[in-house]
């Protein structure tokens, strides 16, 4: 019964579909769309891309096959350079990279051979809400208490360029909290274990990854960055506590890419109709109930940001005055 | 507890779970045989397929696949001298040397039997360690993990030829390995080290192409130069036997196999040490069992003990790596990190619940490891002697196939041509080392331990300053490292004393 209804629906749609739809359908029919991921299999960027690859075809006219290609290396710079300059702008390539690539471009990292504003932006699939969490058995109930106590609190980190490192670094340098950042852990899971054995007192990271440990009362979040989600809205935001406008600008600059935490782009010069159609498909796929159900099971929180919005965010980020950028690059390096 | 143990078994034996396990085994079998394509990558690729499964089915599928990868990886290592997996490289040293002597069947028999014992020990440890895992893992902080890396490096003493010259060469090779491990962006200051201005080297050198180069290229050149088959000088009739001999070898050196399994389990339990370390420490330990200098020379030239050690350790570490994954939700290896994603998909939260509410599921994992390995090993034995005959195939027929494996295997690491260049470069280094009589094992040990040692040393000093040196476990491990370093000397002296006594 349901399949009959679906068939009827399909036929009706076909009958009333505008000519553009037909052209699109021939563009993608029998074709393969490749999502180039700037990381290896198994990480968060890869998992999101694979989830999308399973559900995108339904929403693209002509139902192309969508595959994921991993192109790891240099914190996704290799993949971004590839999609920017090598991949054909024929609508069959999508790239998803390190959210901090706009920062790499801003602080002029060697090896950046792209302009983030020239990509054809499809959108972003998720935002990343960064929090700093400290051990629940420490006597500090809130960020204010932590700051006023003045005692050294040891924070474990993976390395510069990751939010485990950069977020506490700015809190230490700009908000004057007595943190000691110990870097070099192989993963955030590794830091979690260091927290369990009291080697370190806390760590920064995405709220999603910290949540099981917060629920278990091992750690307590005390401060967050700009991007937020249900459960942490009431936490103080680092930017709001900045003592000077300069400090605020620097903290804002670090947070901005987190709003577009899983960026998706197409090569510059991709035909407008193809971009338009892919944006549409991307939006619909992220809201697809089947995808939402799968994401929920995998504890992935997806959030749609449109291509226009994402591009706006990137342009804003890249338009920072030189003095802010200079000060910013004193603290923040591009990595991971 | 006993109830849960049997319930776990029954869960795996349900026809659906069992069928999925067989499917997983079939997949893992091929992944293990093919160099380059690793267990962790395959797990990530297979993760989406478990959405529709029940937890027990999903883990039977994933673990069934993962736990046979190291077993069949040994087969490629023994037959062709190409590491089937990064974790099966140490098997090459003696396994492939045996194949060249016409003992491929025996080497395979030994590798598979020791793999099975290793897997059983690992699974047993997983079952036993459940109550004590928390304090055990928490005792090993960064300073202790650094010292474990030092103990690993101390094994260079056993992995080098005896005598001052041999030691010097061994430690120099180890130093070279440590040096290559520093390539890439460092995690403390974010500085790009020795990247030669390329983006490719930012992430450091990839282990798989390096290992393939170091081990496979010298063997291929050797095969070309000799112009014969792998087991060139052996009459073909003798090749068909031997698998059973390998089984017997395993029981002849039963305690060595058990000890190496325990080493593997221990390294597996420690999150952050990485899967490729276990095999080398086990190999180092196996060489210590040489009773005199003559016997020591046999290692690397085809001593079956050099197959048993890594064969056992690379399987037992998987059971070990499951322990912190299940108990803390902290993965013990990259493959386990992906498996953790599988837990979430199944709606299971790793942690204390896995040891109480979901104990049967946990035990079903133990059983999966056991059953998957038993099935694989039995299946392999059916055509082991046929496999061994591959070593009698003429070199010029075999070399193109091996070369294809070598190139594809290196390329799949990053899908970057740089990987192929790395493989060729390290192939050159490996060849020069073989020709010049430099040991390759210390070099590889330096490679796999370099990052671990550097990071944990940095963390220890940054966190505790000098105080980490006085921690009791650190001191114990330091003592152990000294014993490991001095062991060859003590052995030599003892052998000398015995000779005097006889004379």
């Amino acid at each position: 019964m349901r399949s009959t209804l679906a068939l009827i629906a399909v036929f009706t749609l076909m009958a009333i579909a505008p000519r553009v739809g037909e052209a699109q359908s021939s563009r993608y029919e029998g074709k393969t769309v490749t999502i180039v991921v700037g990381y290896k299999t198994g990480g968060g960027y890869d998992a999101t891309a694979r989830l999308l690859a399973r559900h995108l075809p339904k929403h693209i006219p002509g139902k192309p096959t969508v595959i994921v290609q991993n192109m790891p290396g240099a914190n996704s710079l290799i993949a971004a350079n590839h999609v920017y300059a090598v991949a054909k702008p024929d609508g069959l390539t999508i790239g998803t990279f390190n959210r901090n690539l706009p920062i790499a471009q801003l602080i002029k990292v060697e090896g950046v051979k792209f302009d983030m504003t020239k990509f054809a932006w499809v959108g972003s699939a998720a935002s990343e809400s960064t929090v700093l969490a400290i051990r629940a058995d420490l006597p500090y109930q809130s960020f204010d208490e932590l700051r006023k106590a003045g005692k050294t609190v040891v924070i474990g980190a993976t390395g510069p360029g990751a939010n485990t490192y950069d977020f506490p670094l700015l809190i230490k340098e700009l908000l004057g909290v007595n943190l000691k950042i110990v870097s070099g852990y192989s993963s955030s899971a590794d830091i979690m274990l260091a927290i369990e054995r009291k080697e370190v007192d806390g760590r920064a990271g995405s709220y999603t990854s910290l949540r099981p440990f917060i629920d278990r009362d091992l750690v307590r979040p005390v401060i967050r960055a700009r991007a937020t989600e249900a459960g942490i809205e009431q936490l103080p935001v680092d930017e709001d506590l900045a003592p000077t406008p300069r400090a605020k600008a620097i903290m804002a600059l670090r947070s901005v890419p987190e709003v577009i935490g899983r960026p998706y782009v197409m090569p510059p010069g991709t035909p407008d109709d193809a971009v338009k159609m892919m944006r549409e498909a991307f939006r619909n796929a992220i809201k697809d109930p089947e995808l939402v159900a799968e994401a929920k099971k995998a504890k992935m929180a997806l959030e749609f940001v449109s291509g226009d919005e994402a591009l706006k965010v990137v342009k804003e980020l890249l338009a920072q005055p030189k003095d802010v950028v200079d000060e910013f690059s004193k603290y923040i390096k591009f990595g991971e | 507890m006993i109830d849960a143990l049997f319930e776990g078994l029954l869960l795996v034996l349900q026809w659906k779970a069992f069928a999925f396990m067989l499917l997983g085994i079939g997949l893992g079998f091929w992944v293990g045989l093919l160099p380059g394509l690793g267990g962790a990558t395959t797990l990530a690729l297979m993760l989406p397929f478990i959405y529709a499964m029940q937890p027990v089915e999903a883990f039977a599928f994933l673990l069934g696949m993962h736990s046979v990868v190291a077993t069949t990886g040994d087969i490629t290592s023994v037959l062709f001298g190409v590491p089937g997996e990064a974790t099966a490289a140490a098997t090459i040293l003696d396994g492939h040397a045996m194949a060249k002597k016409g003992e491929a069947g025996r080497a395979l028999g030994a590798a598979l039997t020791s793999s099975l014992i290793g897997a059983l020990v690992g699974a047993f440890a997983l079952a036993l360690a459940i109550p004590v895992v928390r304090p055990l893992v928490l005792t090993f902080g960064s300073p202790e993990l650094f010292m474990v890396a030092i103990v690993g490096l101390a094994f260079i003493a056993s992995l080098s030829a005896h005598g001052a010259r041999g030691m010097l060469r061994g430690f120099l090779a180890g130093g070279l390995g440590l040096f290559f491990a520093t390539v890439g962006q460092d995690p403390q200051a974010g500085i790009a080290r020795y990247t030669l201005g390329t983006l490719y080297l930012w992430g450091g050198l990839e282990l798989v192409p390096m290992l393939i180069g170091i081990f496979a290229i010298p063997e291929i050149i050797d095969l070309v130069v000799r112009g014969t088959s792998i087991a060139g000088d052996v009459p073909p009739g003798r090749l068909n036997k031997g698998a059973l001999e390998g089984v017997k070898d395993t029981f002849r050196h039963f305690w060595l196999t058990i000890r190496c399994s325990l080493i593997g389990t221990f390294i597996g339990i420690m999150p952050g040490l990485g899967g490729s370390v276990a095999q080398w420490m086990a190999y180092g330990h196996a060489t210590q069992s040489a009773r005199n200098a003559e016997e020591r020379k046999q290692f690397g030239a085809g001593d079956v003990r050099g197959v048993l050690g890594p064969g056992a350790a690379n399987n037992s570490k998987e059971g070990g790596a499951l322990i912190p994954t299940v108990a803390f939700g902290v993965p013990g290896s990259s493959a386990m990190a992906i498996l953790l994603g599988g837990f979430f998909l199944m709606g299971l939260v790793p942690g204390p619940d896995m040891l109480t509410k979901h104990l049967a599921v946990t035990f079903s994992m133990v059983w999966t490891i056991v059953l998957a390995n038993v099935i694989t090993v039995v299946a392999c034995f059916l055509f082991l002697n046929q496999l061994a005959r591959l070593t009698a195939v003429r070199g010029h027929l075999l070399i193109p196939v091996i070369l294809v494996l070598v190139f594809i295997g290196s390329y799949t690491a990053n899908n970057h041509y740089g990987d192929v260049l790395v493989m060729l470069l390290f192939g050159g280094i490996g060849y020069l080392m073989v020709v010049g009589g430099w040991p390759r094992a210390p070099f590889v040990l330096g490679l796999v331990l370099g990052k671990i040692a550097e990071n944990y040393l940095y963390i220890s000093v940054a966190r505790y300053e000098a105080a980490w040196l006085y921690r009791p476990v650190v001191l114990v491990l330091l003592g152990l490292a000294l014993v490991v370093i001095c062991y060859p000397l003590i052995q030599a002296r003892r052998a000398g004393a015995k000779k005097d006594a006889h004379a």
Side-chain angles (χ1 to χ4, degrees):
Chain A
M1 182 64 196
R2 248 173 73 190
S3 59
T4 331
L5 272 180
L7 262 180
I8 293 171
V10 167
F11 280 122
T12 326
L13 271 176
M14 275 169 70
I16 59 166
R19 283 189 169 274
V20 187
E22 272 169 42
Q24 289 295 359
S25 146
S26 61
R27 179 194 288 278
Y28 285 105
E29 202 159 340
K31 296 279 176 57
T32 301
V33 175
T34 307
I35 303 182
V36 177
V37 182
Y39 291 93
K40 286 192 179 188
T41 41
Y45 286 92
D46 177 66
T48 312
R50 284 180 195 279
L51 182 66
L52 275 168
R54 281 197 295 283
H55 294 278
L56 262 180
K58 278 181 277 180
H59 302 282
I60 303 176
K63 289 207 171 55
T65 312
V66 179
I67 60 163
V68 169
Q69 186 193 347
N70 297 84
M71 199 182 280
N75 316 315
S76 324
L77 280 185
I78 290 177
N81 286 339
H82 172 86
V83 171
Y84 191 78
V86 183
K88 278 194 211 132
D90 53 6
L92 297 178
T93 307
I94 305 174
T96 179
F97 321 121
N98 186 340
R99 69 180 80 93
N100 285 328
L101 286 186
I103 287 189
Q105 185 183 339
L106 183 72
I107 61 177
K108 300 199 169 61
V109 169
E110 210 183 322
V112 171
K113 296 208 175 79
F114 50 79
D115 178 351
M116 286 311 283
T117 60
K118 297 226 170 87
F119 277 114
W121 277 81
V122 178
S124 162
S127 73
E128 172 111 337
S129 344
T130 301
V131 296
L132 175 69
I134 55 168
R135 278 203 337 255
D137 57 355
L138 292 180
Y140 322 115
Q141 300 294 324
S142 68
F143 180 72
D144 215 35
E145 286 182 35
L146 173 71
R147 175 151 69 163
K148 284 191 184 126
K151 273 191 147 181
T152 311
V153 170
V154 184
I155 301 296
T158 48
N163 58 0
T164 58
Y165 185 91
D166 294 347
F167 185 59
L169 181 74
L170 292 187
I171 291 174
K172 176 188 172 191
E173 299 288 342
L174 303 175
L175 300 184
V177 181
N178 190 358
L179 301 179
K180 177 172 177 174
I181 300 168
V182 175
S183 163
Y185 288 98
S186 60
S187 65
S188 51
D190 211 21
I191 312 175
M192 232 44 244
L193 206 60
I195 292 177
E196 294 241 24
R197 60 181 182 242
K198 306 197 173 167
E199 188 170 295
V200 299
D201 300 320
R203 81 162 172 103
S206 73
Y207 178 58
T208 334
S209 72
L210 274 160
R211 210 168 144 186
F213 303 96
I214 295 171
D215 292 346
R216 232 174 69 195
D217 265 343
L218 179 67
V219 290
R220 167 191 305 142
V222 289
I223 185 169
R224 70 169 166 94
R226 177 189 289 196
T228 186
E229 59 190 272
I232 51 168
E233 303 98 330
Q234 81 295 348
L235 288 179
V237 179
D238 60 344
E239 295 169 36
D240 298 345
L241 304 171
T244 63
R246 171 74 62 85
K248 188 181 167 89
I250 288 167
M251 286 194 273
L253 201 48
R254 192 211 62 83
S255 314
V256 162
E258 292 176 353
V259 180
I260 42 171
R262 295 274 184 268
Y264 282 77
V265 300
M266 292 170 100
T270 305
D272 285 343
D273 57 332
V275 178
K276 199 169 156 232
M277 195 244 46
M278 196 56 83
R279 284 182 167 187
E280 193 78 13
F282 185 74
R283 174 209 302 270
N284 293 336
I286 292 179
K287 299 193 169 151
D288 184 330
E290 284 177 39
L291 179 142
V292 172
E294 268 188 47
K296 204 175 160 200
K297 263 181 129 179
K299 302 218 175 213
M300 289 159 62
L302 293 198
E303 192 186 308
F304 169 75
V305 178
S306 77
D308 285 329
E309 240 174 290
L311 183 60
K312 208 178 103 199
V313 170
V314 170
K315 279 187 174 155
E316 252 177 49
L317 189 152
L318 290 172
Q320 293 296 319
K322 193 175 174 310
D323 55 327
V324 172
V325 177
D326 287 347
E327 179 93 13
F328 178 76
S329 48
K330 266 191 219 158
Y331 301 114
I332 304 293
K333 291 215 168 62
F334 173 67
E336 298 202 18
Chain B
M1 180 101 173
I2 301 292
D3 288 351
L5 187 68
F6 283 105
E7 201 189 331
L9 178 63
L10 292 178
L11 284 174
V12 183
L13 290 179
Q14 285 170 330
W15 74 268
K16 245 173 126 180
F18 196 75
F20 276 121
M21 183 177 76
L22 289 180
L23 188 67
I25 291 173
L27 270 169
F29 193 94
W30 286 105
V31 170
L33 282 182
L34 296 174
L37 194 56
T41 310
T42 321
L43 272 183
L45 296 179
M46 290 302 134
L47 211 49
F49 292 100
I50 69 171
Y51 280 100
M53 301 181 195
Q54 294 298 311
V56 175
E57 295 160 19
F59 290 119
F61 175 62
L62 294 177
L63 271 180
M65 180 174 80
H66 188 65
S67 53
V68 302
V69 164
T71 313
T72 54
D74 285 337
I75 296 179
T76 320
S77 298
V78 168
L79 287 179
F80 306 119
V82 183
E85 289 295 304
T87 53
T91 322
I92 294 176
L93 289 173
D94 281 289
H96 190 60
M98 285 175 77
K100 285 203 269 188
K101 288 198 297 185
E103 295 182 327
R106 184 176 163 205
L108 287 175
L112 288 172
T113 318
S114 61
S115 289
L116 178 60
I117 291 181
L120 294 180
V121 169
F124 196 59
L126 172 61
L128 274 189
I130 285 170
V132 294
V133 59
R134 237 188 122 76
L136 180 68
V137 172
L138 294 184
T139 311
F140 281 75
S142 297
E144 287 79 12
L145 289 173
F146 170 68
M147 287 313 297
V148 172
I150 292 299
V151 173
L153 287 172
F155 272 109
I156 288 177
S158 310
L159 294 171
S160 313
H162 281 191
R165 195 182 157 82
M167 285 292 156
L168 186 65
R169 285 185 162 189
F171 277 95
L172 279 175
L176 191 66
L178 287 175
F179 164 73
F180 279 114
T182 60
V183 173
Q185 200 176 20
D186 88 290
Q188 278 82 38
I191 293 165
R193 296 183 296 200
Y194 308 113
T195 54
L196 313 175
T198 64
L199 289 180
Y200 169 73
L201 289 173
W202 268 36
L205 288 161
E206 193 70 36
L207 193 59
V208 171
M210 285 195 290
L211 289 177
I212 292 181
I214 293 169
F215 291 108
I217 296 292
E219 296 304 342
I220 295 172
I221 296 176
D222 179 55
L223 197 54
V224 174
V225 171
R226 282 190 296 149
T228 58
S229 62
I230 289 177
D233 315 320
V234 184
R238 275 189 49 203
L239 290 171
N240 302 354
K241 295 175 230 108
L244 203 63
E245 197 56 32
V247 180
K248 283 188 200 153
D249 279 324
T250 314
F251 289 98
R252 224 167 274 150
H253 305 289
F254 187 68
W255 290 112
L256 177 73
T257 313
I258 296 287
R259 285 199 304 274
C260 288
S261 304
L262 290 175
I263 291 176
T265 312
F266 174 76
I267 300 288
I269 294 176
M270 292 300 136
L273 284 183
S276 5
V277 177
Q279 51 173 347
W280 293 104
M281 290 180 77
Y283 184 76
H285 178 63
T287 60
Q288 287 176 338
S289 64
R291 277 180 294 267
N292 53 46
E294 287 307 301
E295 261 188 66
R296 177 61 189 80
K297 278 201 189 109
Q298 283 307 304
F299 276 94
D303 190 306
V304 73
R305 285 172 290 184
V307 178
L308 295 172
N314 63 17
N315 278 67
S316 65
K317 75 171 181 10
E318 290 311 327
L322 255 177
I323 294 172
T325 316
V326 170
F328 292 97
V330 171
S333 66
S334 55
M336 290 302 143
I338 295 159
L339 200 67
L340 197 65
F343 278 94
F344 289 143
L345 281 181
M346 294 291 105
L348 295 172
V349 180
D353 268 3
M354 293 303 295
L355 310 179
T356 51
K357 222 162 76 193
H358 304 301
L359 192 61
V361 176
T362 308
F363 275 118
S364 80
M365 293 184 203
V366 176
W367 284 112
T368 303
I369 296 180
V370 172
L371 290 174
N373 273 287
V374 171
I375 292 171
T376 311
V377 169
V378 170
C380 284
F381 267 103
L382 293 179
F383 53 91
L384 210 53
N385 284 328
Q386 272 70 29
L387 272 180
R389 264 193 239 161
L390 279 174
T391 57
V393 174
R394 292 186 66 103
H396 63 259
L397 294 174
L398 214 50
I399 287 166
V401 181
I402 301 180
L403 272 178
V404 167
L405 284 181
V406 160
F407 276 87
I408 292 184
S410 340
Y411 185 73
T412 47
N414 277 324
N415 296 334
H416 196 288
Y417 65 87
D419 291 334
V420 178
L421 292 180
V422 166
M423 182 271 289
L424 290 172
L425 173 73
F426 278 81
I429 295 176
Y431 181 68
L432 290 178
M433 290 180 87
V434 172
V435 172
W438 288 65
R440 285 175 291 175
F443 180 56
V444 174
L445 204 58
L447 279 178
V448 296
L449 283 171
K451 267 217 167 70
I452 299 165
E454 182 195 347
N455 285 338
Y456 285 123
L457 175 62
Y458 179 86
I459 292 172
S460 304
V461 174
R463 172 65 181 84
Y464 300 107
E465 280 155 15
W468 66 272
L469 283 166
Y470 316 127
R471 290 160 69 107
V473 181
V474 168
L475 291 174
V476 171
L477 288 168
L478 185 67
L480 186 62
L482 288 176
V483 170
V484 170
I485 290 179
C486 298
Y487 194 79
L489 300 175
I490 300 167
Q491 228 176 2
R493 181 156 302 172
R494 222 193 274 154
K498 245 184 216 160
K499 227 180 241 164
D500 288 345
H502 281 292

